[in-house]
Amino acid sequence: MAQPDNKKFFENLSGAGKAIAVLTSGGDAQGMNAAVRAVVRMGIYVGAKVYFIHEGYQGMVDGGDNIKEAKWESVSSMLQVGGTVIGSARCKEFRTREGRLKAAHNLVQRGITNLCVIGGDGSLTGANLFREEWSGLLEELVQQGLINEEAAQTYSALHIVGMVGSIDNDFCGTDMTIGTDSALHRIIEVVDAIMTTAQSHQRTFVLEVMGRHCGYLALVSALACGADWVLIPEMPPEVGWEDQMCQKLSENRAGKKRLNIIIVAEGAIDSNNKPITTDCIKDLVVRSLGFDTRVTILGHVQRGGTPSAFDRILASRMGVEAVLALLEASVDTPACVVSLCGNQAVRLPLMECVQMTQEVQKAMDEKKFEDAVRLRGRSFENNLNTYKLLAHRKPDSELPNSSFNVAVMNVGAPAAGMNAAVRSAVRVGISEGHKMFAVNDGFEGFYKGQIKEIKWGDVGGWTGQGGSILGTKRTLPAKYMDKIAEQMRIHNINALLVIGGFEAYLGIMELLAARGTYDEFCVPMVMVPATVSNNIPGSDLSIGADTALNAITDTCDRIKQSASGTKRRVFIIETMGGYCGYLASVGGLAAGADAAYIFEEPFDIRDLQSNVEHLTEKMKTSIQRGLVLRNENCNENYTTDFIYQLYSEEGRGVFDCRKNVLGHMQQGGAPSPFDRNFGTKISAKAMQWISKKLKESYRQGRVFANSEDSACLLGMRRRALVFQPVMQLKEETDFVHRIPKEQWWLKLRPLMKILAKYKTSYDVSDSGQLEHVVRNRTKELDAAI
């Protein structure tokens, strides 16, 4: 097929004759193995030799069996394992020039001049120093007679690409480091469990989470579980915080709340840089309030366990990007880190990121805490502002005086994270001075008048609840316009926030079309996408999709384990998603599937045949199992049963088959930390937009908004949250199949195929541009998550 000129395809990049080594260094983090797997497989795929360096820099210095060539099968079954299977060690020797000289010798002996380092800022700084010294080290090796001039010439340049593996998310320049999301999963699992016991006994729990110098884990877990108080190193509490905290705890108890949760980062300090420990908080609560108080220190639990779907996808994308960066590197290219900004892979100069990370610590040492927060990046700052907005209720006397009524509702199928979004909307709305109304059971409840005022305390404890507490239906409003308009009039609704899936999108369009007939609908309306299918135009992600991906990934892990035990077995797994192949494709990438059939990428019997042949070949290796995902509506004739029967027949004598339809388990369960956080922040932003629009459209004693931009969808686009008029999204929508016409995640499909050993074409036009670390990236990430 002819390839367009303006696109860059990686087939033009060859790794032939190159050697790449991968190592993990510093503290371990879940997802490191997924990154190692991606580097090894992508390296082999492009024709390079790939080496493992076991035990981090120590292995590089010691050489010998610590540096081993990796084969395709070497990284099988690594994806779902936490920690790092190639080992990590702190290495004092590498900090000396003698140590680095030994390391250089070991690499040159094997012809390795490309290093992929997965670790924290210390590990990456070490790698950069090694690179800067490289030519000097080679000269020294020539002088000592350990290598000849020819070798020094051949291996004269060392290329380095870093990936940040750190559960603390303490590295500037990247939105998420590998391991952070999994650590949040561990914390939230513990908090959810503690909440049930604390509720039984009316207890206060003080939880210490990791983060010696960075409060990200504490802050986001506090946001995700609705903690009463959070203490982090970047924002020491003001003088007199002890009384404020105790007052807040007793107010919550008085407001019928049976438990209190206080989250403390291990590096929490007060404004005099004195540590705040969990024990001192416990003593304070017991002394001042007499509450039954317990301390739980999570410790290394946070580093352990299986990586989340997000971390596997992040690490797989970063690993492939790292190999591309090494293939494209020249002598003049600075050492770079591959990282994530929004949901886009970017390359940044390694030392710029390291310097900025060190500046944060410097600002904190100098008590310039606002600077420290700003330097942490827009994502951190947004989390902090959202937490402040939601956690502490202002007294009524301090609230702005607004006479507006705002209704919030869920529409469509339930999605985990909807309740976090409703809680956030209600609390932000009340903080902005509005009266908030909850509509039960979607548009059906709307026309039946199931509308009541909802207060601050009514939404307490909602963040961790799955499904939809308000109730949600797929009913569309078109048939009931009269009754809905009447209810808008009765309750004097001045704005509408709709949290839901494709029906919510269609519903807002129908209300918009009825504006000519009913003035009641001439009010600001905003939709926040919430559906496991992730099929809403105008948004790369929707609330609920991450939880569903984790459900799919967990199940696939178990199924793979079962298949490994029985050997020579292939599982066909059906996922949800309507016509949208997001769950099947991205779930396939996270679970290490061999194939994923989706509607957006038509396939025929020849493709099915080649997949069977591919699996037959795979059974001859040491990896004697297969995993195939199928989206529920990918093809009306090639059903799950048909594919199961075809594989069973064609694989007879080589492998046997099983099938599994995952069904509604993908919609259930407690929301993942990502969905809680995403729902909370996107909904808060939607409410702030409503407040702004209400002020703009209030004229002569009433709200009147009928312009296109008064009915918007708030979605995540590449790197930012963007409000888009619903009418403008019509062009981008395939209404028959209920999917966007263009979907960003389709470009991740080749990654799954490459990592499953299929030859494929991969468009790398998006990657390869080295960007710079912008202070806070203000313009670009004005609304970043």
Side-chain angles (χ1 to χ4, degrees):
M1 194 173 86
Q3 290 168 355
D5 299 336
N6 61 337
K7 288 203 171 177
K8 189 171 72 172
F9 286 84
F10 88 120
E11 291 89 316
N12 312 330
L13 298 169
S14 168
K18 293 188 177 179
I20 299 170
V22 58
L23 71 142
T24 53
S25 172
D28 64 314
Q30 309 95 321
M32 279 183 165
N33 291 325
V36 169
R37 170 181 178 265
V39 170
V40 168
R41 291 198 167 172
M42 184 67 172
I44 292 171
Y45 187 91
V46 295
K49 260 187 172 180
V50 186
Y51 291 86
F52 289 136
I53 299 179
H54 291 272
E55 311 309 331
Y57 287 119
Q58 191 66 55
M60 200 194 291
V61 172
D62 295 345
D65 276 351
N66 286 308
I67 306 175
K68 280 189 188 150
E69 191 176 344
K71 297 280 177 278
W72 191 273
E73 284 86 30
S74 317
V75 290
S76 170
S77 300
M78 266 171 76
L79 194 58
Q80 61 269 38
V81 180
T84 163
V85 298
I86 58 172
S88 175
R90 313 263 179 206
C91 176
K92 287 201 176 101
E93 219 177 329
F94 191 76
R95 292 183 179 167
T96 66
R97 189 170 169 93
E98 294 74 46
R100 292 193 288 277
L101 193 67
K102 284 185 196 170
H105 186 211
N106 288 327
L107 294 187
V108 170
Q109 279 181 314
R110 294 164 179 80
I112 298 167
T113 54
N114 296 284
L115 267 189
C116 183
V117 182
I118 307 163
D121 61 341
S123 312
L124 299 179
T125 311
N128 192 60
L129 176 64
F130 189 41
R131 178 178 176 273
E132 284 170 357
E133 289 182 351
W134 183 257
S135 51
L137 293 169
L138 292 198
E139 273 174 41
E140 218 170 304
L141 290 170
V142 171
Q143 284 160 13
Q144 292 180 16
L146 292 169
I147 62 170
N148 58 28
E149 276 289 354
E150 192 188 345
Q153 285 298 310
T154 312
Y155 307 122
S156 61
L158 177 69
H159 303 300
I160 285 176
V161 172
M163 281 183 267
V164 192
S166 156
I167 66 165
D168 292 340
N169 204 24
D170 55 358
F171 195 79
C172 293
T174 174
D175 277 3
M176 283 292 258
T177 57
I178 295 166
T180 306
D181 187 67
S182 303
L184 284 171
H185 272 258
R186 296 299 92 78
I187 295 168
I188 293 303
E189 282 160 17
V190 171
V191 175
D192 285 355
I194 277 177
M195 276 181 159
T196 55
T197 171
Q199 199 129 22
S200 308
H201 297 276
Q202 296 201 35
R203 281 197 176 126
T204 295
F205 267 86
V206 184
L207 268 89
E208 181 184 289
V209 300
M210 281 186 170
R212 206 169 312 133
H213 305 293
C214 178
Y216 185 89
L217 289 178
L219 179 58
V220 175
S221 48
L223 202 53
C225 72
D228 297 281
W229 203 265
V230 66
L231 292 154
I232 58 172
E234 294 86 347
M235 188 191 67
E238 52 209 44
V239 177
W241 66 272
E242 296 91 340
D243 294 341
Q244 285 180 339
M245 184 182 82
C246 290
Q247 191 187 343
K248 169 91 192 295
L249 298 182
S250 59
E251 276 171 13
N252 283 351
R253 281 292 168 93
K256 307 273 194 306
K257 193 176 178 188
R258 292 178 59 89
L259 77 157
N260 303 110
I261 301 275
I262 300 163
I263 295 184
V264 189
E266 61 179 327
I269 46 174
D270 65 15
S271 49
N272 296 317
N273 278 19
K274 265 180 55 197
I276 300 175
T277 65
T278 45
D279 286 334
C280 92
I281 292 172
K282 177 189 171 177
D283 295 344
L284 170 70
V285 175
V286 172
R287 195 175 60 245
S288 305
L289 300 170
F291 289 171
D292 184 358
T293 306
R294 302 295 156 101
V295 169
T296 299
I297 294 171
L298 267 62
H300 281 75
V301 163
Q302 297 159 82
R303 282 196 192 280
T306 184
S308 65
F310 182 96
D311 271 331
R312 297 181 197 196
I313 294 153
L314 171 67
S316 300
R317 286 176 72 181
M318 299 297 100
V320 168
E321 184 71 23
V323 173
L324 292 176
L326 286 171
L327 294 181
E328 290 174 1
S330 67
V331 186
D332 309 321
T333 319
C336 74
V337 283
V338 290
S339 86
L340 193 70
C341 180
N343 72 351
Q344 201 179 5
V346 292
R347 296 180 197 172
L348 299 162
L350 187 149
M351 286 320 289
E352 281 186 26
C353 297
V354 168
Q355 277 154 9
M356 194 141 148
T357 305
Q358 287 166 352
E359 273 181 47
V360 176
Q361 192 53 50
K362 190 168 162 246
M364 282 159 63
D365 292 342
E366 293 171 2
K367 299 189 184 180
K368 295 178 180 169
F369 295 109
E370 284 181 8
D371 289 356
V373 168
R374 206 184 61 253
L375 287 164
R376 276 268 180 250
R378 188 49 68 110
S379 165
F380 189 90
E381 214 175 343
N382 273 344
N383 282 319
L384 190 53
N385 292 338
T386 310
Y387 178 78
K388 285 178 185 169
L389 205 58
L390 295 171
H392 307 300
R393 187 182 178 179
K394 291 179 190 160
D396 290 347
S397 55
E398 286 178 31
L399 292 175
N401 190 10
S402 141
S403 52
F404 298 124
N405 295 346
V406 180
V408 59
M409 63 196 292
N410 293 151
V411 175
M418 275 181 163
N419 299 321
V422 172
R423 167 187 177 265
S424 171
V426 168
R427 291 197 168 175
V428 173
I430 291 169
S431 300
E432 306 256 321
H434 310 315
K435 211 182 227 188
M436 296 301 296
F437 286 84
V439 180
N440 294 109
D441 299 338
F443 286 114
E444 195 170 305
F446 210 146
Y447 84 79
K448 290 178 177 171
Q450 294 170 4
I451 304 165
K452 60 179 188 300
E453 192 183 343
I454 187 163
K455 298 275 186 23
W456 185 281
D458 297 339
V459 290
W462 278 30
T463 39
Q465 305 283 325
S468 163
I469 297 171
L470 289 184
T472 181
K473 290 272 174 78
R474 292 179 181 269
T475 315
L476 290 172
K479 291 181 190 165
Y480 312 104
M481 286 301 183
D482 267 356
K483 288 179 177 171
I484 293 173
E486 187 186 342
Q487 290 300 332
M488 296 270 288
R489 206 163 46 247
I490 291 169
H491 296 278
N492 189 24
I493 302 296
N494 307 118
L496 195 55
L497 170 61
V498 184
I499 300 161
F502 207 83
E503 284 83 8
Y505 175 62
L506 295 174
I508 283 208
M509 282 190 168
E510 289 178 4
L511 295 180
L512 208 53
R515 274 181 170 178
T517 319
Y518 303 95
D519 275 2
E520 287 82 359
F521 300 139
C522 295
V523 295
M525 297 185 224
V526 64
M527 175 190 163
V528 167
T531 164
V532 298
S533 305
N534 195 26
N535 62 335
I536 306 297
S539 192
D540 291 354
L541 293 172
S542 56
I543 299 165
D546 184 71
T547 306
L549 273 182
N550 278 294
I552 292 167
T553 310
D554 289 350
T555 310
C556 288
D557 285 353
R558 292 176 188 198
I559 284 169
K560 271 168 82 173
Q561 207 168 27
S562 136
S564 299
T566 43
K567 301 271 190 298
R568 299 182 171 278
R569 180 162 283 177
V570 175
F571 274 87
I572 318 286
I573 296 170
E574 183 186 298
T575 66
M576 276 183 159
Y579 285 95
C580 178
Y582 176 81
L583 289 180
S585 298
V586 183
L589 183 58
D594 295 282
Y597 300 119
I598 61 167
F599 170 77
E600 293 89 343
E601 202 174 272
F603 58 97
D604 58 21
I605 197 73
R606 285 180 293 278
D607 297 307
L608 293 172
Q609 181 63 36
S610 94
N611 291 150
V612 172
E613 286 164 9
H614 189 270
L615 283 166
T616 306
E617 283 304 305
K618 188 178 175 183
M619 295 299 161
K620 293 175 186 169
T621 70
S622 57
I623 321 171
Q624 299 185 341
R625 54 171 167 64
L627 187 67
V628 175
L629 270 61
R630 177 190 174 275
N631 161 265
E632 57 184 352
N633 287 345
C634 65
N635 187 299
E636 58 183 328
N637 294 316
Y638 297 143
T639 60
T640 303
D641 285 337
F642 175 88
I643 292 174
Y644 162 69
Q645 285 163 350
L646 178 84
Y647 271 63
S648 299
E649 182 56 40
E650 295 295 319
R652 194 186 293 275
V654 182
F655 57 79
D656 65 352
C657 270
R658 294 288 183 274
K659 64 177 178 186
N660 204 322
V661 176
L662 298 185
H664 280 76
M665 61 162 276
Q666 295 161 84
Q667 271 181 7
S672 66
F674 182 91
D675 278 330
R676 296 179 192 199
N677 200 3
F678 184 48
T680 298
K681 283 196 283 192
I682 195 170
S683 204
K685 199 167 175 62
M687 273 312 300
Q688 287 167 331
W689 177 88
I690 281 179
S691 295
K692 187 170 125 265
K693 285 288 171 198
L694 282 169
K695 286 191 190 91
E696 286 171 13
S697 55
Y698 186 69
R699 285 187 293 276
Q700 295 156 356
R702 59 177 279 215
V703 172
F704 188 81
N706 67 349
S707 57
E708 255 191 20
D709 68 351
S710 64
C712 280
L713 180 141
L714 174 55
M716 186 182 173
R717 280 281 171 105
R718 287 168 84 93
R719 299 189 184 188
L721 286 172
V722 194
F723 289 95
Q724 303 140 99
V726 173
M727 293 314 280
Q728 289 176 21
L729 293 172
K730 261 187 165 173
E731 297 303 307
E732 297 178 25
T733 312
D734 170 354
F735 285 99
V736 176
H737 299 105
R738 299 159 59 97
I739 52 173
K741 288 179 183 169
E742 281 188 21
Q743 307 197 75
W744 69 274
W745 51 264
L746 283 168
K747 68 171 184 279
L748 297 183
R749 278 184 65 79
L751 297 194
M752 184 191 75
K753 293 177 184 173
I754 288 165
L755 297 175
K757 217 174 184 176
Y758 282 91
K759 286 276 172 245
T760 185
S761 179
Y762 181 37
D763 173 14
V764 292
S765 318
D766 266 2
S767 63
Q769 270 62 60
L770 191 67
E771 300 185 15
H772 288 281
V773 181
V774 184
R775 307 248 150 207
N776 225 341
R777 302 163 103 110
T778 326
K779 293 189 183 67
E780 190 153 57
L781 274 181
D782 196 31
I785 297 192

